[in-house]
Amino acid sequence: MIVSRIIEVVMCVPTLILILALLAIIEQPTIWHMMAVIGCTGWTGIARLTRAEFLKLNQTEFVSASRALGYGPMRIVFRHILPNAMAPVLVPITFGIASAILIESGLRFLGFGTPPPNPSWGTLLQAGRSNLSMWWMTLYPGTAVFLAVLAYNLIGEGLQQATDPRLRSG
């Protein structure tokens, strides 16, 4: 119950507002600061999904059979529930990584984020936008962002197809 309330409190804080507040407070922000804020606010959806999977699997027959055999709660969680809950949880994690890439590059494109000596695809896109005669300054960073996000999304889809027994052909 306490973890659920912590998750709800963290979900109330918008990531963008927290990043902007961090940039206003810290004198020399780095990419690590932005990644920490995105990570601290982005875990809540995965945590809720994991909790729901554990509660769903707790009602299955194999868990009831494990209890009937006299296994302890830790063995049931780590040997039976956790391996079965990992498949549906790994897929949204890859989508979360792709989302974090888009958030960081979008903030840097808008001019928020770490100072210019730090490299970012968003900074390169911003520089290319101001000089459209050099089209390659927007094409290559934009393509890199697109391919990185596409790669993580395809990894997530592949994990889903590999681990979801409902998608396997019999």
Side-chain angles (χ1 to χ4, degrees), residues 116-134:
N118 298 318
S120 173
W121 286 326
T123 306
L124 294 173
L125 285 170
Q126 176 64 24
R129 189 182 81 152
S130 63
N131 194 355
L132 291 178
S133 63
M134 293 188 267

Side-chain angles (χ1 to χ4, degrees), residues 15-142:
T15 305
L16 179 63
I17 302 300
L18 195 58
I19 289 174
L20 293 176
L22 176 79
L23 293 174
I25 293 171
I26 295 179
E27 201 169 301
Q28 291 292 328
T30 64
I31 188 71
W32 298 103
H33 292 113
M34 288 183 67
M35 287 184 348
V37 170
I38 292 171
C40 287
T41 57
W43 65 272
T44 55
I46 304 297
R48 291 178 77 186
L49 177 66
T50 305
R51 181 179 183 276
E53 281 296 317
F54 269 66
L55 290 175
K56 180 180 86 173
L57 289 172
N58 198 24
Q59 304 301 320
T60 58
E61 288 92 17
F62 67 88
V63 173
S64 299
S66 299
R67 282 195 197 102
L69 288 171
Y71 293 152
M74 295 307 268
R75 179 176 175 151
I76 292 173
V77 166
F78 286 109
R79 299 271 299 194
H80 301 287
I81 296 177
L82 184 63
N84 288 300
M86 287 306 293
V89 172
L90 285 176
V91 176
I93 289 174
T94 59
F95 295 139
I97 293 170
S99 174
I101 291 171
L102 285 175
I103 289 170
E104 191 277 332
S105 61
L107 283 172
R108 292 291 296 266
F109 176 75
L110 294 173
F112 302 111
T114 57
N118 298 318
S120 173
W121 286 326
T123 306
L124 294 173
L125 285 170
Q126 176 64 24
R129 189 182 81 152
S130 63
N131 194 355
L132 291 178
S133 63
M134 293 188 267
W135 54 268
W136 58 88
M137 289 183 71
T138 56
L139 177 69
Y140 296 124

Side-chain angles (χ1 to χ4, degrees), residues 91 94-96 98-99 102 147-158:
V91 176
T94 59
F95 295 139
S99 174
L102 285 175
L147 289 176
V149 171
L150 177 67
Y152 277 109
N153 284 338
L154 290 177
I155 288 170
E157 290 292 325

